[in-house]
Amino acid sequence: MPIDAATSALNLSFPPTTSATGFVVPQSRSFTVSVNPVVLFSILDHYLRRQENQHRVIGTLLGVRSEDGSEVEVRNCFPVPHDETQNQVAVDMVYHQSMFELHKKVNAKEVIVGWYATGSNLNQWNALIQDFYSKEVSPPFQAIHLTMDTDLKNEEKLLGVKTYVSAPIGISAKPENCLFLPVPCDVKYFDAERSGLDLLASAKDQPDRSTSLISDMDNLEKTILVVQEMLERISEYVNKVLDGSVPANNKIGRFLMDTISVVPKIDKVEFEKMFNSHLQDLLMVVYLANMTRTQLAIAEKLQLLLFSETRKSDSNESKRDCDYVYGAWSIFHWPIFDDYSSEIMLYCEGHLKPTININH
Amino acid sequence: MATNGTSTTITKESPSNVNVTNVTAALDIEGNVPLESVQLDGLIIKHCREFFPNTVTGQLLGLDVNGVLEVTNCFPFPGPTKYQVDMMRCLREVNVDHNTVGWYQSTYLGSFVTHKLIETQYNYQQTFNNKSVVIVHDVSRSTHGNLSLRAFRFTQAFMDAQRENKFTSESLLKNKLTFSNIFEELPITIKNSHLITALLHSLDDFENVIPQGGISTLDKETVTGPLTPNFDTLELSLDPYIEKNLEFLLEAIDEHGQEQSNFAFWQRSVTREQTKLQTALQKRKQENVHRLAAGQELLPEEEITKLFKLPPEPSRLDSLLITAQINNYCKQLNQYSGPTLGKLFMSGELQKP
């Protein structure tokens, strides 16, 4: 999903890269950048924690590239302290190096792919820093510059994220002159992160911007409500089309039909059989888990009870009683479970996936 | 990482009793563990997912504010090197809270009650005056559509027992320590900053979802944005997860059985030694009676008792941990089966004409 609106800028061809032998090789592949949401959040967090006199902050982007270099995935980032005055800009390179070393120890696959800055205008400092980072990024790849609009002045695009690569411009190639070419960028995430992202998003509608973790059941309920709402909207639309109040759109109609026909048509008897066996398996597992927990709870109570009784009695007698207690405890503890329940568990395993052979 | 205060008066009270101005008493954390920064979840999840299925650990940084432990940043740990010191130094330069408040660990299907966890958490809790938590993230469970993130802390009872490092039956009773008493789970709340809320709103923006070309170019693949509704929770397939869980449960029960047999063995050896002791004492008493009759000195009985040494009781920590783990597995099975039953009946309804 592209983040920024389609720009009306010309799509210039990418700057030619120089290969090892010194020949100029033009790059003609299309180039996309995908960003992990963690990176965006980190950038904002860094911006919140900036020093008082800084208007914007910069940092390094880490990520991986695809084989042919045409797709870059930005996975991680870290902030780099920098100073910006009218006349000069200073970037703490030592810090950058040491942080990169530290990060590499944890994740060797991530390499430097560029840098980020908050504040959406591009000036000559950007060009200089871009030049520095181009040297960091192993040639022949381009360093990516990501900007995030934290001024929130641009009303159409709150916090617009844009990515650029640079091309030299001007009569002689000086580091402070370069042209930033926009590159399409996407937000991509992994499955496990998806649930986290949803949780964070649920906080955005609350007045105090906070939310707590919900149980699986509640989550299911929420999702079902969403589906229900969607179905209601669709049925309303279909009713309106049937009434004639809304013109019919063939494309939507076909889309809806495709969606609904996804529900498989299973023979009724077959379905009953499958349903019941599935239900049986589930209930069996639940029963087993509950029985185990009950057994543990009983053993625990018994343990505490018997031990507390022995402490009251005399020392001589207590030794004898202790033996008695230990004996009684071991009787209550596991033999019931051993015989009966391990059978049940083997049944469950066997039934759920008959290809596994368990030897117990 | 200096500890606060000189004495450790740990009390569990409601937030109104927390005394902020008293320097000598250590503050205790109350229920909530809000994660102030959005990125923290993201960083933990990202790190855990990358090294799945190995378990990874990392450090949590943040602040303790008025009885509420706020976690604002985190970083992963590659191993016991001076990585931590270097990282903290670097983070200090960019104004990140560099106050350690705990650590996190990823886990596979909830099997996190191990010795290593106990040791590490004990160290942390000891050093930071009970203000540190361990956050456990279950990667495989998070892919089912609901984020699984739990925060734990040791109870006072367990801390005492661990301090003495004695886990015999008497010490367990003295501290009223059972397997359900080891951990105390703390509720987690998530708070976003304003900027991040703005970002989330913009990601959800309507224009981003509908492609520019209009409806005629509508296609299944184009309409996915970061915040479009997530239907992972509606997945019907359940067998792999429950199977794995049951396998783990079986293993844990086997181990428990072993522990039990160890304990029974010790018991038997104790009774054997005791009977031997008793018979020797009896013999000694008999001899003494004879000697009394013959007018000779009495032989002391204490020598006999010294000869027979009772074997020491084995540590019950392992069985405690295993039972806690078993309990965890069972709870997981329960929690997973609940929604699955719901989904099953839902699909049943769909089939009806």
Side-chain angles (χ1 to χ4, degrees):
Chain A
M1 177 219 88
I3 292 185
D4 46 341
T7 57
S8 52
L10 295 172
N11 230 342
L12 304 174
S13 66
F14 286 101
T17 59
T18 53
S19 63
T21 57
F23 285 109
V24 170
V25 176
Q27 244 184 358
S28 55
R29 300 177 285 264
S30 65
F31 195 65
T32 52
V33 175
S34 53
V35 178
N36 212 0
V38 174
V39 171
L40 299 176
F41 294 140
S42 303
I43 299 177
L44 282 180
D45 190 64
H46 179 212
Y47 180 70
L48 282 175
R49 284 185 273 104
R50 68 189 187 286
Q51 310 269 27
E52 278 156 16
N53 49 357
Q54 280 183 323
H55 286 293
R56 55 184 200 149
V57 291
I58 71 169
T60 314
L61 294 172
L62 302 170
V64 295
R65 285 175 204 282
S66 66
E67 292 283 314
D68 53 358
S70 62
E71 167 129 3
V72 176
E73 199 178 320
V74 180
R75 288 220 190 132
N76 203 353
C77 67
F78 58 82
V80 173
H82 89 297
D83 260 325
E84 208 174 287
T85 60
Q86 281 290 59
N87 301 331
Q88 61 169 6
V89 66
V91 173
D92 195 344
M93 299 193 199
V94 170
Y95 181 92
H96 160 85
Q97 270 306 110
S98 48
M99 270 297 247
F100 180 52
E101 293 297 313
L102 287 176
H103 274 267
K104 232 181 17 185
K105 275 196 209 146
V106 179
N107 198 341
K109 274 191 282 186
E110 289 181 355
V111 293
I112 302 181
V113 296
W115 63 294
Y116 68 81
T118 59
S120 55
N121 49 343
L122 306 167
N123 54 21
Q124 66 202 91
W125 304 139
N126 288 50
L128 275 175
I129 304 176
Q130 175 79 0
D131 182 58
F132 161 65
Y133 272 99
S134 308
K135 298 200 190 76
E136 290 281 327
V137 174
S138 48
F141 297 116
Q142 301 284 325
I144 298 183
H145 176 43
L146 187 135
T147 60
M148 204 152 173
D149 179 19
T150 48
D151 295 327
L152 298 180
K153 291 207 190 90
N154 187 1
E155 274 164 11
E156 310 151 355
K157 227 49 204 160
L158 287 178
L159 293 170
V161 176
K162 298 193 177 63
T163 46
Y164 305 96
V165 288
S166 66
I169 199 175
I171 303 172
S172 57
K174 280 203 297 205
E176 50 272 9
N177 301 339
C178 83
L179 182 67
F180 282 103
L181 299 169
V183 168
C185 117
D186 250 339
V187 172
K188 284 216 182 112
Y189 47 84
F190 296 91
D191 282 340
E193 293 170 2
R194 182 59 201 268
S195 44
L197 202 57
D198 282 336
L199 187 65
L200 301 174
S202 65
K204 74 179 191 314
D205 294 323
Q206 308 283 357
D208 58 347
R209 305 181 326 264
S210 73
T211 178
S212 57
L213 294 175
I214 54 179
S215 73
D216 284 349
M217 272 304 230
D218 291 334
N219 203 22
L220 182 69
E221 187 187 342
K222 248 179 36 177
T223 325
I224 293 181
L225 284 174
V226 168
V227 175
Q228 221 175 0
E229 190 212 26
M230 285 185 158
L231 287 175
E232 270 174 29
R233 275 193 353 223
I234 291 181
S235 74
E236 218 182 273
Y237 171 76
V238 169
N239 282 336
K240 281 205 194 126
V241 169
L242 287 177
D243 285 338
S245 47
V246 169
N249 189 333
N250 282 340
K251 190 82 192 200
I252 295 186
R254 250 175 266 141
F255 200 60
L256 287 177
M257 201 168 76
D258 284 338
T259 317
I260 296 184
S261 57
V262 164
V263 177
K265 200 90 180 85
I266 312 177
D267 175 39
K268 188 154 166 130
V269 171
E270 272 291 322
F271 182 76
E272 286 284 321
K273 245 179 15 181
M274 284 198 291
F275 182 83
N276 284 332
S277 69
H278 205 188
L279 190 63
Q280 243 179 343
D281 289 338
L282 259 184
L283 287 177
M284 172 76 79
V285 170
V286 169
Y287 169 69
L288 185 65
N290 281 332
M291 202 164 67
T292 319
R293 287 183 72 193
T294 325
Q295 178 121 32
L296 287 177
I298 291 178
E300 177 187 350
K301 293 265 183 312
L302 208 57
Q303 174 185 3
L304 282 179
L305 181 70
L306 290 173
F307 285 166
S308 66
E309 275 185 14
T310 60
R311 298 209 90 212
K312 293 185 203 148
S313 52
D314 243 356
S315 62
N316 249 347
E317 290 183 11
S318 76
K319 247 197 198 155
R320 234 184 331 121
D321 283 344
C322 270
D323 299 339
Y324 173 70
V325 158
Y326 292 149
W329 187 33
S330 53
I331 288 175
F332 274 100
H333 218 71
W334 283 115
I336 308 173
F337 194 85
D338 270 342
D339 301 329
Y340 187 50
S341 309
S342 60
E343 292 293 325
I344 295 183
M345 277 225 271
L346 287 175
Y347 160 80
C348 285
E349 287 236 18
H351 201 73
L352 289 176
K353 190 172 176 187
T355 52
I356 286 186
N357 265 333
I358 313 270
N359 295 325
H360 269 104
Chain B
M1 289 184 255
T3 59
N4 286 338
T6 52
S7 65
T8 56
T9 53
I10 317 282
T11 50
K12 265 207 252 194
E13 274 149 10
S14 55
S16 57
N17 286 349
V18 167
N19 193 350
V20 183
T21 55
N22 191 348
V23 188
T24 54
L27 297 175
D28 186 27
I29 54 175
E30 240 303 306
N32 287 322
V33 183
L35 303 179
E36 184 75 50
S37 161
V38 158
Q39 66 167 67
L40 184 127
D41 275 0
L43 285 172
I44 295 182
I45 297 175
K46 167 183 178 294
H47 182 224
C48 295
R49 188 206 14 92
E50 268 171 0
F51 294 100
F52 183 76
N54 299 328
T55 53
V56 292
T57 55
Q59 182 102 312
L60 294 173
L61 308 165
L63 276 176
D64 173 25
V65 178
N66 271 350
V68 157
L69 195 69
E70 295 181 358
V71 189
T72 50
N73 207 347
C74 70
F75 60 83
F77 253 5
T81 59
K82 58 191 263 303
Y83 183 98
Q84 193 178 345
V85 175
D86 288 337
M87 189 56 120
M88 303 276 265
R89 199 171 9 103
C90 287
L91 288 177
R92 209 175 317 168
E93 287 182 22
V94 278
N95 288 347
V96 179
D97 298 322
H98 52 277
N99 193 21
T100 315
V101 293
W103 61 296
Y104 66 85
Q105 166 154 359
S106 76
T107 173
Y108 182 51
L109 271 188
S111 54
F112 57 85
V113 188
T114 56
H115 276 288
K116 189 157 156 271
L117 181 123
I118 304 276
E119 277 166 30
T120 328
Q121 175 62 8
Y122 179 67
N123 281 335
Y124 269 91
Q125 210 157 322
Q126 187 77 322
T127 333
F128 297 106
N129 272 351
N130 269 9
K131 283 203 288 269
S132 70
V133 295
V134 52
I135 290 192
V136 176
H137 175 245
D138 193 341
V139 184
S140 41
R141 234 175 127 191
S142 299
T143 49
H144 289 126
N146 191 23
L147 182 62
S148 152
L149 210 67
R150 301 167 75 182
F152 292 110
R153 184 165 69 125
F154 283 153
T155 52
Q156 191 53 32
F158 189 75
M159 288 295 286
D160 290 337
Q162 175 75 337
R163 195 168 303 143
E164 300 164 21
N165 216 359
K166 244 169 52 115
F167 287 98
T168 61
S169 321
E170 297 123 42
S171 69
L172 289 186
L173 175 65
K174 189 165 55 121
N175 296 323
K176 286 202 180 10
L177 187 64
T178 61
F179 71 88
S180 53
N181 246 358
I182 301 182
F183 290 116
E184 169 189 6
E185 185 162 356
L186 303 168
I188 297 183
T189 54
I190 305 210
K191 251 174 105 83
N192 293 344
S193 64
H194 290 286
L195 268 182
I196 291 182
T197 314
L199 176 67
L200 288 170
H201 275 290
S202 73
L203 281 179
D204 203 15
D205 219 350
F206 194 53
E207 315 158 353
N208 291 336
V209 176
I210 300 295
Q212 251 92 24
I215 301 208
S216 51
T217 59
L218 202 62
D219 196 3
K220 231 184 246 181
E221 280 82 40
T222 56
V223 194
T224 43
L227 295 180
T228 50
N230 180 18
F231 296 122
D232 284 345
T233 44
L234 296 178
E235 282 285 321
L236 270 185
S237 83
L238 61 97
D239 293 342
Y241 183 79
I242 285 199
E243 244 176 77
K244 272 256 130 58
N245 224 334
L246 280 177
E247 260 179 53
F248 282 6
L249 189 55
L250 266 175
E251 277 172 25
I253 290 182
D254 278 342
E255 281 174 33
H256 187 103
Q258 268 179 347
E259 284 289 316
Q260 285 303 106
S261 60
N262 271 350
F263 189 69
F265 178 74
W266 171 76
Q267 243 179 277
R268 282 198 297 273
S269 60
V270 161
T271 44
R272 262 204 311 266
E273 286 292 318
Q274 280 201 325
T275 46
K276 278 200 266 186
L277 181 66
Q278 290 300 331
T279 46
L281 265 177
Q282 283 295 83
K283 261 183 27 198
R284 206 27 102 76
K285 283 209 174 86
Q286 293 276 14
E287 265 192 54
N288 273 343
V289 165
H290 287 314
R291 283 186 176 217
L292 207 59
Q296 284 173 331
E297 265 182 36
L298 294 174
L299 290 171
E301 294 174 4
E302 291 82 33
E303 282 180 1
I304 306 271
T305 37
K306 276 198 215 110
L307 281 176
F308 289 93
K309 273 205 303 246
L310 294 177
E313 184 176 347
S315 162
R316 318 252 43 228
L317 177 63
D318 280 335
S319 65
L320 210 61
L321 290 182
I322 292 179
T323 37
Q325 187 67 71
I326 293 179
N327 198 30
N328 203 28
Y329 285 142
C330 294
K331 261 209 294 208
Q332 260 174 229
L333 278 177
N334 262 347
Q335 278 171 350
Y336 190 72
S337 321
T340 317
L341 276 172
K343 284 187 259 182
L344 191 61
F345 279 104
M346 207 164 65
S347 59
E349 289 298 312
L350 274 180
Q351 285 296 319
K352 296 206 176 118

